[in-house]
């Protein structure tokens, strides 16, 4: 049984409270951190709940699942791809998602740019960086991020909003915190080098949103704490 809307509202309130505490500790304005609802594995109602609450967007980590779910709802909400994207699905992703956060290779940049051109749209993207140097995670090597950004900025049909990362799984919160600090430092350096704002720092999930906000996250991606455990 999927959770009720009332339960969803209660959970969202609890997450907002955690976000507010983290913002207060960091001396940040809570309006500067967006809550992205991660609806993967959950029914279309998950996106409808998020829309009713007034959230801007939901996140899905698989192209096919996101496309199918989106077709089953009229929820007025944006859909963002946050999971690994294979280049043979680039066109489908460009067509059905409002932003792709998981762009981590030159090949993907090229294919998304071409697909967006054919679709006559500008596709907003984030570059996913493996800022925790975790062998288990996707994302560009931080040392390659400059080159990848250069290629993405050259894509006439792409708009680069910022960077995204996933922290390594660790019982030690300082591991996530260091990963997020790395991403922010990298962003600051790239923004200065290329003269672009790269405003968005998509970092933080249910277990590490406080560390992410402390290090400058502008968007936390929350699944479990909003909708419960995935099967
Ligand atoms: C599943 C997922 C999340 C949400 O994780 P929770 O721990 O359930 O909050 C965030 N980001 C990405 C990339 C994910 O795949």
């Amino acid at each position: 049984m999927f959770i009720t809307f009332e339960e969803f509202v209660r959970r969202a309130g609890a997450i907002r409270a955690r976000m507010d505490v983290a913002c207060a500790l960091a001396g940040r304005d809570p309006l500067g951190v967006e809550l992205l609802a991660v609806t993967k594995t959950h029914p279309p109602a998950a996106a409808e709940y998020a829309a009713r609450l007034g959230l801007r967007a939901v996140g899905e980590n698989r192209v096919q699942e996101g496309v199918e779910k989106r077709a089953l709802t009229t929820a007025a909400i944006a859909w963002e791809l946050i999971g690994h994207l294979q280049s043979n699905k680039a066109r489908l992703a460009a067509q059905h998602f409002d932003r792709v956060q998981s762009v981590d290779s030159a090949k993907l940049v090229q294919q998304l740019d071409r697909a967006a051109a054919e679709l006559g749209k500008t596709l907003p993207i984030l570059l996913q960086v493996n800022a925790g140097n975790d062998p288990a995670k996707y994302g560009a090597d931080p040392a390659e991020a400059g080159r990848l950004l250069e290629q993405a900025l050259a894509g006439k049909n792409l708009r680069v909003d910022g960077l995204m990362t996933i922290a390594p799984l660790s019982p030690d919160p300082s591991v996530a915190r260091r990963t997020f600090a790395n991403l922010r430092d990298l962003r600051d350096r790239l923004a200065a080098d290329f003269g672009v704002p790269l405003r968005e720092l998509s970092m933080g999930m249910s277990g590490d949103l406080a560390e992410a906000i402390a290090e400058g996250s502008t968007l936390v991606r929350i699944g479990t704490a909003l909708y419960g455990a995935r099967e």
Side-chain angles (χ1 to χ4, degrees):
M1 258 289 284
F2 189 54
I3 60 166
T4 62
F5 181 64
E6 288 66 32
E7 173 67 9
F8 173 77
V9 170
R10 198 189 60 73
R11 287 166 179 261
I15 293 161
R16 289 268 201 228
R18 284 173 64 196
M19 292 171 66
D20 286 352
V21 168
C23 283
L25 287 170
R28 300 186 53 198
D29 181 351
L31 292 176
V33 189
E34 178 181 356
L35 170 58
L36 179 88
V38 177
T39 48
K40 70 187 186 199
T41 77
H42 298 301
E48 282 151 20
Y49 288 1
R52 268 173 79 184
L53 194 69
L55 299 185
R56 183 191 60 84
V58 294
E60 284 283 333
N61 75 329
R62 299 174 67 170
V63 175
Q64 199 63 42
E65 182 183 344
V67 169
E68 285 168 14
K69 204 173 295 180
R70 187 169 198 172
L72 291 173
T73 163
T74 54
I77 199 156
W79 293 70
E80 304 206 0
L81 184 66
I82 60 173
H84 180 63
L85 175 58
Q86 291 169 308
S87 46
N88 64 345
K89 299 216 175 91
R91 193 191 156 81
L92 199 61
Q95 186 175 357
H96 293 281
F97 286 88
D98 300 293
R99 186 162 69 176
V100 176
Q101 296 201 7
S102 44
V103 180
D104 64 357
S105 73
K107 187 172 176 195
L108 213 42
V109 162
Q110 217 170 48
Q111 280 166 331
L112 288 172
D113 185 44
R114 190 187 316 143
E118 286 166 9
L119 294 161
K121 70 192 267 190
T122 296
L123 182 69
I125 63 167
L126 302 183
L127 300 182
Q128 182 178 352
V129 178
N130 189 359
N133 294 305
D134 180 349
K137 293 287 187 294
Y138 288 107
D141 187 317
E144 302 293 324
R147 196 207 306 259
L148 188 60
L149 176 60
E150 189 175 1
Q151 283 156 334
L153 291 172
K156 288 191 166 47
N157 299 279
L158 302 177
R159 185 189 83 203
V160 188
D161 289 344
L163 306 181
M164 183 271 237
T165 199
I166 306 171
L169 262 185
S170 167
D172 175 2
S174 72
V175 172
R177 181 133 183 189
R178 212 170 325 117
T179 301
F180 299 143
N182 285 346
L183 193 74
R184 189 203 52 221
D185 289 346
L186 178 65
R187 188 280 305 273
D188 292 349
R189 207 158 60 237
L190 294 175
D193 287 354
F194 288 86
V196 290
L198 301 176
R199 205 196 62 82
E200 200 86 273
L201 280 178
S202 171
M203 52 191 203
M205 318 195 330
S206 294
D208 54 20
L209 71 88
E211 287 78 13
I213 289 172
E215 296 298 344
S217 172
T218 61
L219 181 149
V220 292
R221 309 177 306 265
I222 308 297
T224 308
L226 263 182
Y227 297 111
R230 291 178 288 272
E231 319 267 274

